[in-house]
């Protein structure tokens, strides 16, 4: 059986210079003070981590909710 590997994810706040961004990242990288790469862009520092841990399947599915709502409401 093939398929996508599931990861445990944590929501974090990251900062690069004066820009802050929220992102779900794998738990093993969700360490305050650690620097990570987002979408080929290095240098994002983790400044905060959430308490909840979710599967990558859940995070991927929730990331599409906005598009599904827009499509269903014809906005």
């Amino acid at each position: 059986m093939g398929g996508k590997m599931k990861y445990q994810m944590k929501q974090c706040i990251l900062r690069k210079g004066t820009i802050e961004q929220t992102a779900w990242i794998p738990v093993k990288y969700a360490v305050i003070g650690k620097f990570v790469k987002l979408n080929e862009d290095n240098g994002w520092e983790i400044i905060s981590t959430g308490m909840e841990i979710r599967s990558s399947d859940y995070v991927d599915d929730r990331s599409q909710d906005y598009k599904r709502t827009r499509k269903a409401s014809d906005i």
Side-chain angles (χ1 to χ4, degrees):
M1 239 193 211
K4 187 169 66 171
M5 187 172 177
K6 293 181 188 177
Y7 295 93
Q8 294 299 307
M9 308 287 279
K10 226 179 208 194
Q11 192 175 43
C12 299
I13 299 174
L14 305 118
R15 179 177 20 209
K16 184 173 185 180
T18 59
I19 300 169
E20 288 188 4
Q21 178 173 321
T22 302
W24 287 90
I25 63 173
V27 169
K28 68 180 182 178
Y29 301 114
V31 178
I32 294 173
K34 185 176 183 87
F35 286 83
V36 294
K37 178 165 80 169
L38 290 181
N39 300 323
E40 305 302 318
D41 188 14
N42 281 320
W44 288 93
E45 180 183 8
I46 299 171
I47 60 171
S48 177
T49 63
M51 297 295 291
E52 288 190 47
I53 296 174
R54 301 286 185 165
S55 74
S56 56
D57 288 344
Y58 175 87
V59 172
D60 290 344
D61 199 38
R62 296 294 67 78
S63 73
Q64 300 303 309
D65 284 350
Y66 177 74
K67 284 193 246 180
R68 285 191 285 263
T69 300
R70 293 280 306 224
K71 187 174 182 178
S73 65
D74 292 324
I75 295 177

